[in-house]
Amino acid sequence: MLTIAVSKGRIYDDALPLLAEANIIPIDDPKTSRKLILRTNHDDVKLVIIRATDVPTFVEYGAADLGIAGKDVLIEHQSDNLYEPLDLKIACCKLMTAAPTDAPEISGRIRVATKYVKTAERYFAGKGIQAEIIKLYGAMELAPIVGLADCIVDVVDTGNTLRANGLEPRELIMNISSRLVVNKASMKMKHQLIQPLIDQFEKTLAQR
Ligand code: AMP
């Protein structure tokens, strides 16, 4: 049995064609079904569609053999127990700082709202900036508007969400794409199942 954990939403949508090229096709549709475990065209392969931040945890503990998750989530999770053999180059975006449009640079201690607490801490420490990091679970854009923070750290794609909330992108922290991650024990025990899958993904990516 092979279990693949995939972040729901944008990453799942972008991963579907890649999985299809590797002849893994879900039978259940997560948009219409409430099932959390999706059957596929192979009896011994199933997909679990879960929150992005839970994917590394599932794979690390072996609840899933493989996972597809954004690099933003993986660097925040910081685990040595995962192999990351492949950049799938899907769901690309940028991890950035953003602040109210035309707001002056703040000198001294700043307040930063983000769900990427560890990554933000490392980033600002690396720049020698004193930052108080405020953990939020969503709607980061709201924080500067209501005076909760001076700026945010979030993933940005088109920038439309920032602009719609009177914010502008400032500094690029990191380019983000989704990665394939593999449980270390599974890589050894199920090598004959997993390696061909990695090879197929690699082939598909090379043809894109
Ligand atoms: P945007 O296109 O910049 O307006 O992005 C819309 C929202 O989707 C932002 O608030 C981001 O948090 C989120 N987002 C954008 N790209 C990604 C991605 N690749 N993975 C996960 N979330 C994303």
Side-chain angles (χ1 to χ4, degrees):
M1 183 58 87
L2 205 61
T3 303
I4 308 173
V6 187
S7 307
K8 62 178 159 193
R10 191 179 305 224
I11 292 175
Y12 176 75
D13 293 340
D14 284 5
L16 271 182
L18 261 182
L19 290 164
E21 290 279 352
N23 190 29
I24 296 174
I25 297 157
I27 293 172
D28 307 303
D29 179 357
K31 292 197 173 88
T32 53
S33 160
R34 306 200 72 159
K35 283 185 184 165
L36 298 173
I37 301 177
L38 305 186
R39 292 169 299 159
T40 71
N41 55 330
H42 302 275
D43 284 342
D44 54 355
V45 180
K46 59 187 176 181
L47 303 179
V48 287
I49 312 301
I50 52 180
R51 279 180 82 113
T53 45
D54 290 335
V55 171
T57 308
F58 270 58
V59 178
E60 188 176 356
Y61 286 91
D65 303 293
L66 300 156
I68 298 178
K71 187 69 179 170
D72 51 331
V73 166
L74 295 171
I75 53 164
E76 184 67 16
H77 184 81
Q78 279 185 323
S79 169
D80 293 332
N81 290 320
L82 293 173
Y83 287 124
E84 191 189 303
L86 224 47
D87 180 351
L88 299 173
K89 298 193 169 76
I90 57 171
C92 296
C93 57
K94 292 173 173 13
L95 186 67
M96 301 198 70
T97 66
T101 309
D102 301 329
E105 286 290 332
I106 293 162
S107 53
R109 193 173 172 83
I110 59 165
R111 287 215 297 203
V112 184
T114 187
K115 62 180 172 191
Y116 303 101
V117 173
K118 289 186 218 154
T119 310
E121 269 167 4
R122 245 179 292 133
Y123 175 73
F124 287 106
K127 293 190 63 141
I129 294 172
Q130 278 199 354
E132 181 185 348
I133 312 291
I134 300 171
K135 165 99 184 183
L136 290 181
Y137 291 86
M140 260 76 74
E141 300 83 7
L142 201 52
I145 301 171
V146 298
L148 182 58
D150 302 302
C151 66
I152 65 170
V153 167
D154 196 9
V155 286
V156 181
D157 182 12
T158 61
N160 289 340
T161 309
L162 292 180
R163 274 188 293 278
N165 291 290
L167 304 180
E168 61 185 7
R170 290 278 172 92
E171 286 163 32
L172 174 69
I173 299 177
M174 193 180 197
N175 285 307
I176 303 294
S177 55
S178 292
R179 310 300 167 100
L180 184 72
V181 286
V182 186
N183 174 270
K184 284 195 169 173
S186 299
M187 193 67 184
K188 287 199 191 84
M189 312 284 285
K190 301 184 183 180
H191 194 260
Q192 278 159 319
L193 280 174
I194 291 173
Q195 193 56 51
L197 208 53
I198 295 175
D199 293 343
Q200 181 57 54
F201 284 147
E202 241 174 345
K203 209 169 130 192
T204 304
L205 292 170
Q207 285 164 356
R208 280 188 171 180

